[in-house]
Amino acid sequence: MFISIFNAMESGVIYAIMALGVYLSFRVLDFPDLTVDGSFVTGAAVAAISIVNGVPTILATLFALIAGFVAGSLTGILNTKGRINPLLSGILMMTALYSINLRIMGQSNIPLLNQSTVFTQLRESWSDLGVDQALTNMLVSIGIERPPSTWSILIIMTIVTFLIKLGIDFYLKTEMGLALRATGDNEKMIRSFSANTDHLKIVGLGLSNALVALAGALYAQYAGFSDLNMGIGMIVVGLASVIIGESIVGTKSITRTTLAVVLGAVVYRIVVAFALRSQFLDTGDMKLITSGLVIIALVIPKLLANHKEIQRKRKKRLALEKQMEGEHYARS
Amino acid sequence: MLEVNHISLTFNEGTPDEKKALQHIQLKLNKGDFVTVIGSNGAGKSTLMNIISGALFPDVGKVTINEKNVTLLQEFKRSNYIGRVFQDPMAGTSPTMTIEENLAMAYSRNKKRTLKLGVNKNRRAFFKSALATLHLGLEQRLNAKVGLLSGGERQALSLLMATFTEPDILLLDEHTAALDPSRAALITNLTKEVVEKTGLTTLMVTHNMQQALDLGNRLIMMDKGQIILDISGAEKQALTIEKLLHEFQRIRGEQMGDDRAILG
Ligand SMILES: Nc1ncnc2c1ncn2[C@@H]1O[C@H](COP(=O)(O)OP(=O)(O)OP(=O)(O)O)[C@@H](O)[C@H]1O
Ligand SMILES: [Mg+2]
């Protein structure tokens, strides 16, 4: 039990980077970008093929990030210069990426199990710190039977993801970031304040997909393989994280919303892990669970708000009726 | 300052929907001119504004700002020189951003946008003092989201955002039309104050004839894509609604019972 939650959290903080990318396109730019399904794999593919060919792992991961940026920018160019509608631009790019990813990998699956990755390297330098030993002892002492073999991934990835979150928070408050947000909010207006909305969209989608590809690259190294189909439904996972997070944590400010997105990604993974433990569901049902979660997260808040509204009206009506009755008595 | 030369624009040319929105428009504004623009619905007022701002390009003709030919310059580049306020109070601001963020975004109009924070201490102080000139207490609410403001407050903010970087030209398209009378009067006053203080060259479209007479040093009337009346100086000071309607009738030689309702 503990170990499956632990693993869910590990993959959750990696997926959170992807979710932050989805947040940038869907929420900040108001651009429903479906490139994500492709660019996640592009990230994994570029990292995997680079690592297999002996490129240092950090550099391989960086290449993936750049490849994602290029893919996202192309979607932006299709939309702004080619005047293709946002959904279609993303779908076209996602479809094209499927073939491109296959070209990059040369085969539909690249195993990384025997390769040294950022995480294996991390683990080597980490083991000297003695953190694992201390935490494992603690867990054993409170009665957990199968403690995780290393905490390095969870701890370091949490730090990395938070640094990225903070970076996004800052970026969205810079002069460029403000213009980017305004582009998603009110394009006509920001153009009248001499911002090149085409460029902003291209850069914004580039950044978004750079993050998605980075998550793909890290996930491939974490899971030990890159697979042509590992991106299917990724956009819905990203959306699920964004929506779940927003409905739990709220969207009062930028810093709060990005925190919501990160937590949303982790919560999503944990919920899926729990769901998969039940007898009726297996791994093939994952996409169904994801869609179900998104639907629930979208519908429940509305139902609650509706219910509240009805209650409020009823209360008001009752109060009014009582008052009128009172007046009636007073008169008679 | 601003010159519009022989501008024509036809929408949907060669189709049954063909519409000659502008025909041979000729207009020259001197620095500091405050021109009010009136005319019935569909006269081409907004189209003219859009051509000056670069949101639309003319079929023929030339637009010059400060001796520079900007006819084909893209809107976002041209807006270095041009501030705009639209009719819809929603149109001029970004609702999910705070008041100070909106101001910061507008403040970057004529500067390169960098990776420095949009709002810093100095700017915040400047924004506060600028907001204070609106007399709406918005300077106390720097961190309120603009989506929460009333239409009038938003329009005042839009006006400030359009003008506080002192562009060369200010374009106002019925910017008080969507407000209730008292709010409209407030925005009209603010407009007057700002234009007087900064000496901005201004074009203001309005359906309110009285407003068109009270404000500015020059008045033009448009009809069917043409400028049919252009009055300035002392002649404008002496103008009344009656005279204006009379002029219109004389030029167009047609009954304008309907238009009177629209214009007044
Ligand atoms: N994008 C467009 N496509 C087709 N026709 C248009 C377009 N924009 C404006 N028109 C037409 O051009 C004419 C001039 O429109 P414009 O919006 O400039 O009028 P206006 O003087 O601003 O009117 P109002 O007082 O109602 O705002 C109208 O007949 C309008 O229907
Ligand atoms: Mg108009």
Side-chain angles (χ1 to χ4, degrees), chain B:
Chain B
M1 160 60 65
L2 170 70
E3 251 188 278
V4 176
N5 259 318
H6 286 294
I7 292 283
S8 295
L9 177 64
T10 305
F11 287 111
N12 309 319
E13 191 149 27
T15 70
D17 291 336
E18 181 170 301
K19 180 80 210 174
K20 287 191 172 129
L22 293 177
Q23 306 180 48
H24 302 294
I25 296 285
Q26 193 77 23
L27 182 67
K28 189 171 171 204
L29 263 61
N30 295 317
K31 194 166 168 48
D33 268 353
F34 184 172
V35 182
T36 52
V37 184
I38 55 174
S40 46
N41 291 112
K45 306 177 299 291
S46 298
T47 308
L48 178 61
M49 294 288 173
N50 284 333
I51 290 217
I52 294 173
S53 71
L56 286 174
F57 295 123
D59 295 337
V60 286
K62 195 166 123 186
V63 181
T64 345
I65 297 175
N66 287 334
E67 253 85 278
K68 210 174 122 193
N69 184 351
V70 297
T71 316
L72 295 177
L73 196 66
Q74 282 162 295
E75 183 185 8
F76 77 90
K77 285 188 185 149
R78 216 183 289 190
S79 48
N80 264 332
Y81 324 109
I82 301 175
R84 289 194 84 174
V85 182
F86 306 96
Q87 174 174 356
D88 178 3
M90 308 291 177
T93 49
S94 180
T96 65
M97 288 160 60
T98 63
I99 293 180
E100 64 177 13
E101 284 172 338
N102 267 279
L103 285 165
M105 179 195 68
Y107 190 74
S108 301
R109 177 206 293 283
N110 44 17
K111 298 163 201 66
K112 201 169 158 40
R113 291 186 163 86
T114 66
L115 284 176
K116 288 198 200 115
L117 280 178
V119 183
N120 58 32
K121 221 171 134 197
N122 283 338
R123 284 194 186 173
R124 187 171 286 132
F126 171 65
F127 295 160
K128 264 194 165 167
S129 66
L131 282 168
T133 63
L134 300 178
H135 318 296
L136 290 172
L138 292 182
E139 63 276 13
Q140 319 289 345
R141 301 167 65 188
L142 284 177
N143 286 312
K145 287 206 174 144
V146 169
L148 300 173
L149 301 185
S150 74
E153 288 168 337
R154 275 208 209 185
Q155 207 62 335
L157 182 62
S158 304
L159 185 67
L160 181 64
M161 285 163 60
T163 54
F164 79 145
T165 50
E166 307 206 356
D168 296 316
I169 297 164
L170 176 63
L171 301 178
L172 307 169
D173 193 350
E174 298 184 43
H175 69 309
T176 62
L179 306 174
D180 68 58
S182 71
R183 291 286 163 179
L186 174 96
I187 300 296
T188 306
N189 274 335
L190 284 174
T191 308
K192 211 164 131 189
E193 267 174 39
V194 171
V195 175
E196 265 166 21
K197 197 174 73 192
T198 55
L200 273 173
T201 310
T202 305
L203 266 170
M204 181 177 97
V205 175
T206 175
H207 275 290
N208 182 333
M209 277 208 184
Q210 197 56 52
Q211 194 184 35
L213 294 176
D214 294 345
L215 294 177
N217 62 337
R218 186 171 162 193
L219 178 147
I220 62 179
M221 186 192 277
M222 290 184 68
D223 189 49
K224 303 201 172 100
Q226 293 171 317
I227 295 178
I228 56 168
L229 194 66
D230 186 341
I231 298 173
S232 53
E235 205 184 338
K236 165 153 194 292
Q237 301 303 321
L239 211 55
T240 62
I241 293 183
E242 282 310 313
K243 275 193 206 163
L244 209 50
L245 290 170
H246 188 75
E247 269 305 292
F248 182 84
Q249 242 163 6
R250 193 181 58 77
I251 298 166
R252 277 300 176 205
E254 43 190 83
Q255 209 43 44
M256 60 176 299
D258 294 343
D259 278 335
R260 178 168 187 168
I262 295 160
L263 288 168

Side-chain angles (χ1 to χ4, degrees), chain A residues 18-86:
Chain A
M18 186 266 305
L20 284 169
V22 171
Y23 165 73
L24 276 185
S25 56
F26 262 77
R27 286 291 191 249
V28 176
L29 271 178
D30 196 18
F31 190 113
D33 177 26
L34 302 188
T35 314
V36 172
D37 277 23
S39 57
F40 187 82
V41 185
T42 305
V46 168
I49 200 75
S50 304
I51 288 172
V52 169
N53 284 297
V55 176
T57 55
I58 294 282
L59 206 57
T61 310
L62 201 69
F63 285 167
L65 186 110
I66 294 168
F69 185 88
V70 173
S73 307
L74 285 175
T75 304
I77 290 171
L78 286 182
N79 171 243
T80 55
K81 307 294 179 195
R83 296 182 184 271
I84 300 173
N85 104 3

Side-chain angles (χ1 to χ4, degrees), chain A residues 173 175 181 185-186 191 194, chain B residues 93-94 96 109 114 123:
Chain A
K173 284 179 185 145
E175 291 167 349
R181 285 161 66 194
D185 225 8
N186 191 343
R191 239 185 281 135
S194 65
Chain B
T93 49
S94 180
T96 65
R109 177 206 293 283
T114 66
R123 284 194 186 173

